[in-house]
Amino acid sequence: MTSDLIRPFTPGVLWSTTWSLLAALAEVGVVLVIGRSIDTGSVSPNALGVMVALFVARALCRALTERLGDHVASRVRVRGVTLVSRHLMAVGAPLSDDQRTGDLVSRSVPGVDAVAKMAGTFLPMAGSALVASILIALVAMIVDIWTGLALLLGLPLIPVALRILETRFRTTAGELRSASNRLTAQFLDTFQGLTTIRMFDRGADRGAVLAADSEDLRMKTMDLLRVNQRALIIVDLVQAAVSTLLVVGVLWYRIDSGSVTPGEAVVLSLLAWLAVAPYVRLVQSIYLGALGLAALAQVNELLTMPTAHAGTARPTDPPDGSIRLDGVTFHYGDAIPALDDVSLSIETGRRVAIIGESGSGKSTLAAVLLGLRIPQQGTVAIGGRDRAEVSPSWHTRAITYVGQDTHLFSMSVADNLRIGRPEATAGDLIEACRTAEIHDVIAALPRGYETVLGERGTSLSAGEAQRIGIARALLADTPIVVADEATSGLDLHTERRVTRAMERVTRGRTLVLIAHRRSTIVDVDRVIVLARGRVVDDGSPIEVMSRSPLLAAMTGRHQR
C-alpha cells in the first residue's frame, strides 16, 4: 500500500530516524557523565565541557530530525497530489458516477497531507522509539547486568499494549476521515448551490445538515482522542511498572548488596526513564499515525480506481475528419444501455445533427466520440484510426468540443485559451478571438488577455464565456468538432454572434451537433435520430422531417 506514495522516500525517513536516535544517545551520554561525577564527588571542567557538547549535539540532531521530516513530508505531499491528480485524469468522466466532488477533494488534498505528516513525523518517531529503547536497555546492562536485564524485559510491554489498541485506532481514525470527507462534500455542495438555497429560502435546512455533519465529526474526533488517552494511560502505567516497580526494585536490591555505586544507581534510574520517554512522545502523536494510515487507505482507493485502456500508437499522419462506430454499446453500471448497438459512419466535412428526446443517448454518444466514455462493446474510429489503438494525445488532435457550459479556470484569459493549443502565440490568440467575435471584449478588460478571470469565469457573461470556448476550439484546430447546442439559453443578439462564430469555427470541418431545436439544424447535411440508445432514423433534414414526428415537433426559438 505504501510503495507508490511513501517507499521512494524511505532513505529520508531512515535518516530522520537516525538523527532522532543520535539525539537520544546524546542524552544517554549526559546521564553517564552525571553518574560519573556523582561517584567522583565533583564536576570536573572536562565533564562540564562534555555535557555542554552533548547538549549541543542533541539540539543539532533534533533540528536535523525535524528538517528531514519536513522535507520528507513535503516530498510525499507533492508526489501524492501528483499521483492522485494524474490518476484521476486517467479515470476521467466515470469519477462523477459514484464519487462526490467534495469527497474527492478531501481525499486528494487533506488526505495526502495526512499521509505526508505520518511519513515526516510519526514514522521516524516510531522507528527511533523502538531502537532507542533497546539501545538504552543495553547501555543499562553494561552498567549493571541485572538492572539492565529487568529494563529490557519490561520494555516490550509498551509495544504489546499499543498493538492491542491498534485495531481500535484504525477503526476510529477511519471513521474520523470519512466524517471529514462527508463534511467537506456537504460544504462544497452548499457553496455550489448557494443561489438555489437562497432563492428557495432553505438556508436553515441546509445549515441543519451541516450542523449534523459537524457534530458527527466532533464525536468522531472525541472518539479518537479517547482512544489516544487510553494509550497514554497504558504507557504511563507501564512506565511506572518498569521504572518504579521493576527497575527500582532490582536496583534497590543491587544497592543494598553493594553491587552498584550511588552514581550508577542514578544513571540506571535516569536510563529507565529515558527508555520509556520515546514511547510517551510517540503516543502523544499517535493520532498522526492513525489518521495517516486511514488517509493512506482512502488515497490508495483513488489510486486503484480502474482506468480505461489507452492506446500507445502515435501515427505520423494527421487525423482526417471521419467518424465510424461499429456495434457500440455503453451502459452506466448495470443500468439499461444508454447506447445500444449503435453503428454509423460520418464522412469528412459533413455537418450532422443528433436529435432525440431527453434520455435518448445524445450526450452519451457525444461523450463516447470525445473519449470521455469507453463503450463496453464495439469499436470507435475517430480521424481514421481506432481510438483504442492510438494515444490520447493523438485523439485530442482529431476532435474537440464546444458545449453549453464553457468551463473557464481561475487564471488569465490567455492561459484559458492556450488550453486549446499550449504553444499558441499572442498573435494566434488574437486571430482566434477575432474570428470568435470576442477580441474586443477581452481587449477592454483591465489587463487584456492577461486579466485573471474569476472562478468558473464569473466575471464574464454566458455569451462571452461561450465565445472564449469557441476561440479555444478554433485554436485546437481539429478536423472534427462536437457541439452541444452552444447557443442554448442566450438572448437573440448574443445567439446570433455565437452562431456566426460557430459557423466560422466549423467551416471545412466535420461537425457533430447535439441539437435541441429545429432552428439549429437548418444548415446540416444529415440528421440522426436516437431513441432509447438506438438509431431509429437517419437521413437528410427534409427526409427525416417527413418521417420523424420528433423533428416535425421540434420548435425553434425566435421563429415565426
Side-chain angles (χ1 to χ4, degrees):
M1 183 184 294
T2 63
S3 58
D4 289 338
L5 195 53
I6 298 178
R7 188 169 297 173
F9 309 107
T10 299
V13 174
L14 293 176
W15 274 111
S16 182
T17 302
T18 300
W19 288 115
S20 179
L21 182 60
L22 291 175
L25 293 179
E27 293 175 340
V28 172
V30 172
V31 168
L32 293 176
V33 173
I34 290 174
R36 179 68 175 174
S37 299
I38 291 175
D39 283 340
T40 59
S42 64
V43 181
S44 66
N46 289 339
L48 187 60
V50 170
M51 284 193 290
V52 170
L54 289 171
F55 276 121
V56 171
R58 171 178 170 273
L60 290 175
C61 289
R62 287 196 170 181
L64 287 170
T65 299
E66 293 184 6
R67 183 176 181 84
L68 280 170
D70 291 342
H71 178 70
V72 168
S74 64
R75 295 287 301 276
V76 170
R77 193 174 291 111
V78 171
R79 178 175 175 80
V81 171
T82 302
L83 286 176
V84 169
S85 60
R86 186 182 301 162
H87 189 77
L88 295 186
M89 291 301 102
V91 174
L95 274 173
S96 60
D97 293 345
D98 54 6
Q99 296 284 339
R100 299 177 69 182
T101 304
D103 184 57
L104 291 173
V105 171
S106 183
R107 291 180 183 217
S108 303
V109 183
V112 169
D113 188 63
V115 175
K117 290 179 180 178
M118 178 186 70
T121 302
F122 181 78
L123 292 183
M125 188 180 296
S128 64
L130 178 62
V131 178
S133 62
I134 295 175
L135 289 179
I136 291 171
L138 293 176
V139 172
M141 291 178 66
I142 295 174
V143 177
D144 181 66
I145 182 66
W146 295 109
T147 307
L149 187 60
L151 178 59
L152 187 62
L153 293 176
L155 284 175
L157 294 175
I158 298 178
V160 169
L162 295 179
R163 182 70 177 177
I164 294 173
L165 291 174
E166 180 184 6
T167 301
R168 181 58 179 161
F169 263 118
R170 285 178 177 268
T171 302
T172 308
E175 293 173 350
L176 176 58
R177 284 293 313 160
S178 297
S180 177
N181 294 344
R182 285 195 299 271
L183 182 59
T184 301
Q186 291 287 14
F187 263 111
L188 188 59
D189 284 348
T190 301
F191 292 146
Q192 291 177 335
L194 197 57
T195 300
T196 302
I197 292 172
R198 294 193 63 180
M199 183 172 62
F200 291 99
D201 192 25
R202 309 318 301 172
D205 294 342
R206 196 63 189 171
V209 172
L210 293 174
D213 284 341
S214 298
E215 175 63 17
D216 184 50
L217 178 61
R218 187 190 71 83
M219 294 299 296
K220 295 297 187 292
T221 302
M222 295 305 298
D223 287 343
L224 182 61
L225 290 176
R226 276 192 286 270
V227 177
N228 198 85
Q229 190 63 40
R230 291 173 192 166
L232 280 171
I233 292 173
I234 290 174
V235 171
D236 285 340
L237 289 175
V238 173
Q239 182 183 24
V242 172
S243 62
T244 303
L245 300 178
L246 185 60
V247 175
V248 173
V250 174
L251 188 57
W252 180 271
Y253 171 77
R254 299 292 287 168
I255 293 173
D256 188 57
S257 64
S259 301
V260 297
T261 65
E264 290 172 339
V266 172
V267 167
L268 292 169
S269 298
L270 293 176
L271 288 179
W273 179 82
L274 288 177
V276 180
Y279 286 109
V280 176
R281 292 193 294 269
L282 177 65
V283 173
Q284 290 172 345
S285 301
I286 202 169
Y287 67 93
L288 292 176
L291 290 176
L293 287 173
L296 184 61
Q298 294 182 346
V299 170
N300 190 62
E301 289 178 3
L302 294 182
L303 294 177
T304 54
M305 291 183 68
T307 60
H309 171 73
T312 57
R314 298 175 182 269
T316 56
D317 55 311
D320 59 33
S322 64
I323 297 173
R324 190 184 76 254
L325 277 69
D326 292 323
V328 169
T329 296
F330 177 86
H331 54 81
Y332 298 92
D334 297 326
I336 297 174
L339 295 177
D340 189 4
D341 194 27
V342 172
S343 296
L344 58 89
S345 179
I346 300 175
E347 297 81 12
T348 299
R350 298 294 297 274
R351 303 172 67 86
V352 179
I354 309 294
I355 68 171
E357 296 180 348
S358 177
S360 61
K362 302 187 300 297
S363 297
T364 302
L365 176 59
V368 167
L369 294 177
L370 293 164
L372 302 177
R373 296 289 183 177
I374 306 301
Q376 285 82 11
Q377 296 178 20
T379 60
V380 179
I382 301 295
R385 298 278 183 169
D386 189 337
R387 194 189 57 206
E389 298 177 356
V390 298
S391 68
S393 61
W394 192 91
H395 180 262
T396 57
R397 289 168 50 200
I399 190 168
T400 192
Y401 174 73
V402 178
Q404 297 179 17
D405 182 18
T406 298
H407 189 98
L408 297 178
F409 293 89
S410 184
M411 54 189 184
S412 71
V413 176
D415 287 338
N416 271 286
L417 288 167
R418 285 195 175 99
I419 291 175
R421 194 199 308 169
E423 71 278 8
T425 65
D428 295 332
L429 302 185
I430 293 174
E431 181 182 355
C433 289
R434 286 190 188 279
T435 303
E437 298 191 21
I438 192 62
H439 170 72
D440 292 341
V441 173
I442 297 174
L445 294 174
R447 297 186 60 197
Y449 282 80
E450 297 305 318
T451 301
V452 176
L453 301 176
E455 186 175 0
R456 296 182 63 85
T458 52
S459 55
L460 299 173
S461 70
E464 291 165 349
Q466 287 286 58
R467 280 176 281 160
I468 287 180
I470 292 171
R472 190 158 62 190
L474 184 61
L475 285 166
D477 194 24
T478 60
I480 304 172
V481 177
V482 176
D484 190 353
E485 196 159 295
T487 58
S488 176
L490 302 180
D491 61 78
L492 180 59
H493 176 70
T494 304
E495 177 180 342
R496 286 173 176 168
R497 300 194 68 175
V498 172
T499 300
R500 288 198 301 269
M502 280 296 299
E503 289 173 352
R504 296 190 185 104
V505 170
T506 59
R507 190 174 299 151
R509 293 178 169 86
T510 303
L511 171 65
V512 178
L513 174 65
I514 308 301
H516 306 277
R517 296 173 298 154
R518 194 167 64 188
S519 63
T520 61
I521 63 174
V522 293
D523 295 326
V524 301
D525 309 315
R526 178 179 169 192
V527 176
I528 296 174
V529 183
L530 291 181
R532 297 185 178 181
R534 287 179 170 269
V535 175
V536 295
D537 205 347
D538 186 353
S540 69
I542 295 178
E543 293 172 340
V544 173
M545 187 177 295
S546 66
R547 298 191 299 257
S548 172
L550 174 64
L551 181 56
M554 289 175 68
T555 58
R557 193 177 60 170
H558 311 308
Q559 287 188 331
R560 289 284 182 265

